[in-house]
Amino acid sequence: MDSVEISLLTCQPHDEIYSLYGHTAIRYHDMRKGGLDIAFNYGVFDFRKPLFALRFVFGITDYELGAYPYRLFQEEYRRFGSMVTEQVLNLTDEEKLILQQALAVNMQDENRIYRYNYFYHNCTTKARDIIEQSIRGKVEYDKRDDYTPSYRDMVHEMTKDNPWAAFGNDLLLGILADQKTNREQQEFLPYNLMYDFDHASIYMNGEFRPLVKDRRISVPAGVQIRKQGFPLRPLTCFLILSGIGLAIFLWEWKRRRIFIVWEVLLMVITGTMGIVLFLMLFSQHPTVNLNLQIILLNPLPWFFLWKVIRGKQTRYWQITAVLCVLFLLGSLFQSYAEGIICLALCLLLQSILHIKCLDNK
């Protein structure tokens, strides 16, 4: 095994939605002539499987371990223009053999498929765990600074150039995503694991040795072609919506009349988002179950929509006023999706209109 190098590969994000957070793999390289040079990738999935997106949202997506020539792995990221950093691990021959055998066991048909979870059980944590389990000594990590981000903080950092992806994440993530994380939890992100490996040592037989003995750029950064997304941020769209809502509210207040089309639009937007959040109650992702945004975004509008369309009296707006207040109070405990508070204010204005003006005239 003295001719074998085993490395952790950390891949820069590219423009595909599934790659916004980067990627991790393991390289097994026998440097003898004709030796194996294989990339082990725990991030293999198939978009063509039925209901893939729906299964992903509900936390019932299966990923698998793939193994293929390293040159193909390089070529894939070279094509995306993504840099790949290689950290050669400082393993003994015994540890290399243990890791080689563990990867071989993982590649067996009955073991290669695993239940994927974005925060807790992904391609990065799987690579970390199998490496740590193959080391005979104890891996000790340097302490980080006092910054302890939440899962939501880290997701925001990785999606800062893709505001609609951030909006979708914030809509689905609940209050548990706002809790502070420790070092191990932060290693679901490839760059955090790469940093920790750079600052880790193996303690064995009274001696320390660095976990990483060499670091190099396996694929240099290239030109990335960014797809043009929707030109307006979510907050901009919701500010426009709230501006329209305020203008309609003033017109309705002055005329003592209801603009039914506007109310139906608000109810459809709220109710549609509410169906999504209601379904998240049944997701296997732990961080989406307790979501305070469901106070406002719930399926309730669909039960009153027909009465509102027909202009009949309904308790919906009194209920909505209470829910809006509770929703705004909930923002003290959970970070909401960008602009959703604007939607709450639009609904609150309509509720005030009904309670103070129309229903009591």
Side-chain angles (χ1 to χ4, degrees), residues 174-192:
I175 195 170
L176 294 180
D178 292 297
Q179 295 181 353
K180 300 302 181 183
T181 57
N182 57 33
R183 174 197 55 79
E184 185 178 3
Q185 292 170 322
Q186 292 162 23
E187 287 174 351
F188 84 97
L189 284 179
Y191 271 76
N192 286 344

Side-chain angles (χ1 to χ4, degrees), residues 199-216:
H199 298 82
S201 300
I202 301 172
Y203 180 74
M204 185 177 178
N205 298 327
E207 296 182 351
F208 286 92
R209 71 180 190 270
L211 176 58
V212 175
K213 69 177 182 180
D214 189 22
R215 173 173 169 159
R216 51 190 177 234

Side-chain angles (χ1 to χ4, degrees), residues 271-289:
T272 302
M273 290 183 176
I275 291 174
V276 174
L277 295 195
F278 175 76
L279 293 176
M280 286 300 97
L281 295 175
F282 306 97
S283 173
Q284 292 187 18
H285 288 299
T287 49
V288 303
N289 301 125

Side-chain angles (χ1 to χ4, degrees), residues 13-267:
H14 54 82
D15 201 42
E16 297 296 335
I17 190 68
Y18 61 81
S19 81
L20 293 178
Y21 309 93
H23 185 51
T24 298
I26 296 173
R27 181 187 185 187
Y28 178 93
H29 184 201
D30 187 339
M31 294 178 290
R32 292 176 297 184
K33 186 177 180 179
L36 290 174
D37 194 3
I38 301 294
F40 288 89
N41 179 4
Y42 282 96
V44 176
F45 57 90
D46 189 355
F47 268 131
R48 297 170 297 178
K49 287 186 177 180
L51 303 176
F52 177 86
L54 191 62
R55 289 172 61 85
F56 185 89
V57 168
F58 280 98
I60 52 176
T61 307
D62 290 331
Y63 276 39
E64 64 182 87
L65 172 63
Y68 45 93
Y70 179 62
R71 60 180 177 81
L72 297 181
F73 185 89
Q74 281 183 302
E75 187 57 37
E76 178 183 7
Y77 282 90
R78 190 175 289 114
R79 187 171 67 252
F80 286 128
S82 297
M83 182 174 67
V84 177
T85 303
E86 180 178 4
Q87 294 167 292
V88 181
L89 302 177
N90 191 17
L91 305 179
T92 64
D93 288 350
E94 179 191 7
E95 290 167 341
K96 293 176 189 176
L97 183 59
I98 293 171
L99 182 51
Q100 177 202 56
Q101 293 171 343
L103 289 168
V105 170
N106 273 197
M107 277 300 299
Q108 294 173 0
D109 289 342
E110 63 270 25
N111 299 326
R112 64 190 303 170
I113 296 175
Y114 70 97
R115 181 53 51 88
Y116 177 90
N117 183 283
Y118 174 64
F119 288 137
Y120 306 111
H121 207 215
N122 67 11
C123 57
T124 301
T125 63
K126 289 284 287 184
R128 176 201 63 196
D129 292 347
I130 198 170
I131 290 171
E132 287 186 345
Q133 291 162 10
S134 301
I135 293 173
R136 297 300 85 191
K138 180 182 179 183
V139 181
E140 296 193 357
Y141 295 92
D142 287 355
K143 289 185 178 180
R144 293 194 186 187
D145 55 27
D146 293 333
Y147 178 57
T148 54
S150 65
Y151 282 120
R152 195 185 304 274
D153 292 331
M154 291 183 281
V155 168
H156 284 175
E157 178 63 26
M158 302 307 295
T159 57
K160 59 186 177 183
D161 295 325
N162 198 323
W164 284 100
F167 175 81
N169 287 324
D170 281 338
L171 188 64
L172 298 181
L173 291 175
I175 195 170
L176 294 180
D178 292 297
Q179 295 181 353
K180 300 302 181 183
T181 57
N182 57 33
R183 174 197 55 79
E184 185 178 3
Q185 292 170 322
Q186 292 162 23
E187 287 174 351
F188 84 97
L189 284 179
Y191 271 76
N192 286 344
L193 182 63
M194 180 178 70
Y195 175 90
D196 287 341
F197 268 35
D198 272 338
H199 298 82
S201 300
I202 301 172
Y203 180 74
M204 185 177 178
N205 298 327
E207 296 182 351
F208 286 92
R209 71 180 190 270
L211 176 58
V212 175
K213 69 177 182 180
D214 189 22
R215 173 173 169 159
R216 51 190 177 234
I217 302 301
S218 177
V219 176
V223 176
Q224 293 197 3
I225 300 174
R226 297 289 183 181
K227 297 176 184 176
Q228 185 64 40
F230 189 70
L232 300 180
R233 292 183 62 92
L235 180 58
T236 305
C237 294
F238 279 105
L239 285 174
I240 293 172
L241 185 75
S242 59
I244 294 172
L246 179 60
I248 291 176
F249 169 77
L250 294 175
W251 179 87
E252 290 174 318
W253 185 278
K254 182 177 180 180
R255 298 293 184 92
R256 296 296 192 270
R257 294 178 58 187
I258 288 294
F259 188 23
I260 293 180
V261 173
W262 172 246
E263 291 193 339
V264 168
L265 177 63
L266 290 178
M267 294 176 72

